[in-house]
Amino acid sequence: MIRKIALITTVAVLALTACSKANETVPSSETVQDTVVNTVKSAEAVVESITVDSVDTAKLEAILNAQPDTVKARYGSRNPGETLKFFGVEPGMTIIEILPGGGWYSKIVSPYLGSEGHVIGLDYDIKMWSEFGGFATPEFIEKRKSWAQSWPETIASDLPENSSQLSAYTLGSIPSELNEKIDMVLMIRALHNLARFNDEGQYLDAALTRIYKSLKPGGIAGIVQHKGPAENADDWADGNNGYLKTSFVIEQMEKVGFEFIEASDINDNPRDVPSNTDNVWRLPPTLGTSRDDAELRSKMELIGESSRMTLKFVKPK
């Protein structure tokens, strides 16, 4: 972990400097070794304390246990508890969730944040929805125009008391008043569509720039995204098949100023090894290629949901 290593190294150097000044002589190799070891252990303990104490594990587990069985059924594939701990979600935070949909994650995060917290849902811009074609009929588009007004009320109806404040906007209408006010941005399987239509409207570029502006210095961006094999063709992993490459996501995030902290294998699925002719919607829960083929459906169900990269970034202070 970059930040952890930096902290430990800095503390160790300071300790050695202090030791040298105190004795006004160059310390022996044994003294240097003992000082570094003891200081690094102390620094590691501090970092571990920060990591553990910042996440209210008991509260998070209680909220996860209280979810409906239909939600719990997805825990094996989505690992929400481990994922939120990895990102470092804390009660009281103000969090943006991009493309929150029906609120699968929001309904976990909102009660966990508590009454002092705030979940802000961000939908794709209406112009981008029009790029999809197919299901994105004129009726669908018209209904989507009122999503920002209806989403908070819809989600709130399923939340317990003392849950967070809720609000919603489209990516293109984030108010400037939110600039540098956000503690964390969650992008859960939301980037592939932004990437697939980037040539049409720079949707990915604009979205990442906007969330970068909205985050406080030191704020975290957490990404969970369908992960394509590094050896597959780049034009296959452009988002049109649902998959992106980890290297591409890191490159795009760093391009707007984010610093990559670390990756986790929490949401990896080694059984999902798509070829250059596969798309993510062949797998559960969509099973788009096997509705009328029981044998193929069985094979897809054995693979399970997609393998997903889990990446953590920070906006530098």
Side-chain angles (χ1 to χ4, degrees):
M1 182 191 299
I2 292 173
R3 297 172 74 187
K4 180 175 179 179
I5 292 171
L7 174 60
I8 292 172
T9 303
T10 301
V11 174
V13 169
L14 289 173
L16 286 176
T17 303
C19 179
S20 178
K21 288 182 178 179
N23 294 326
E24 296 183 349
T25 58
V26 177
S28 67
S29 60
E30 291 82 2
T31 301
V32 171
Q33 182 175 352
D34 290 344
T35 302
V36 171
V37 169
N38 292 333
T39 305
V40 168
K41 285 182 179 179
S42 298
E44 287 178 334
V46 170
V47 172
E48 185 65 24
S49 175
I50 293 171
T51 303
V52 171
D53 292 344
S54 63
V55 176
D56 190 335
T57 301
K59 183 178 183 180
L60 180 56
E61 289 179 354
I63 290 165
L64 291 169
N65 290 334
Q67 297 301 305
D69 289 342
T70 53
V71 173
K72 292 179 182 178
R74 307 292 293 280
Y75 286 179
S77 300
R78 296 189 171 184
N79 306 295
E82 294 85 348
T83 299
L84 294 174
K85 290 177 189 176
F86 174 70
F87 292 147
V89 181
E90 302 175 26
M93 278 184 165
T94 296
I95 289 181
I96 281 177
E97 184 181 355
I98 296 181
L99 197 68
W104 195 93
Y105 254 100
S106 306
K107 293 174 185 178
I108 295 170
V109 172
S110 180
Y112 173 69
L113 296 182
S115 58
E116 295 184 0
H118 190 174
V119 174
I120 302 170
L122 291 186
D123 196 21
Y124 297 147
D125 293 338
I126 289 297
K127 184 180 177 182
M128 182 175 146
W129 280 115
S130 301
E131 306 281 4
F132 283 84
F135 70 86
T137 61
E139 293 76 17
F140 175 92
I141 298 297
E142 189 61 32
K143 186 176 181 181
R144 208 74 196 179
K145 290 179 181 178
S146 61
W147 177 89
Q149 291 73 45
S150 62
W151 184 81
E153 184 177 345
T154 301
I155 299 303
S157 64
D158 290 330
L159 295 177
E161 292 184 5
N162 299 317
S163 293
S164 74
Q165 179 183 346
L166 297 167
S167 56
Y169 306 92
T170 63
L171 275 162
S173 66
I174 306 173
S176 58
E177 290 79 8
L178 290 179
N179 286 353
E180 299 198 342
K181 297 293 194 300
I182 307 302
D183 297 299
M184 183 177 293
V185 175
L186 297 178
M187 293 170 271
I188 312 293
R189 303 181 308 282
L191 292 183
H192 55 282
N193 288 321
L194 291 165
R196 70 188 288 204
F197 297 126
N198 197 50
D199 288 344
E200 286 76 10
Q202 288 73 56
Y203 297 109
L204 178 63
D205 297 338
L208 296 184
T209 298
R210 286 170 184 146
I211 66 169
Y212 186 85
K213 288 181 179 178
S214 71
L215 275 170
K216 297 175 180 177
I220 297 296
I223 293 176
V224 177
Q225 176 59 49
H226 308 297
K227 180 174 64 175
E231 60 271 18
N232 282 25
D234 287 345
D235 59 359
W236 169 85
D238 63 358
N240 278 291
N241 293 297
Y243 293 99
L244 298 174
K245 293 185 179 182
T246 301
S247 58
F248 170 82
V249 174
I250 293 174
E251 177 186 8
Q252 297 305 305
M253 293 291 284
E254 291 183 336
K255 185 169 70 174
V256 298
F258 283 103
E259 177 186 337
F260 175 53
I261 302 178
E262 59 182 324
S264 171
D265 61 1
I266 296 167
N267 295 299
D268 282 5
N269 177 3
R271 297 184 300 278
D272 177 27
V273 186
S275 71
N276 284 314
T277 60
D278 287 328
N279 67 57
V280 75
W281 301 286
R282 78 194 192 285
L283 299 174
T286 307
L287 294 167
T289 60
S290 59
R291 291 191 184 94
D292 301 318
D293 187 331
E295 183 177 353
L296 180 58
R297 182 186 182 98
S298 178
K299 289 180 180 178
M300 296 301 102
E301 288 175 337
L302 285 174
I303 293 173
E305 294 193 29
S306 66
S307 186
R308 295 156 189 171
M309 66 184 86
T310 307
L311 310 176
K312 186 175 180 179
F313 298 83
V314 66
K315 177 178 179 176
K317 293 184 178 181

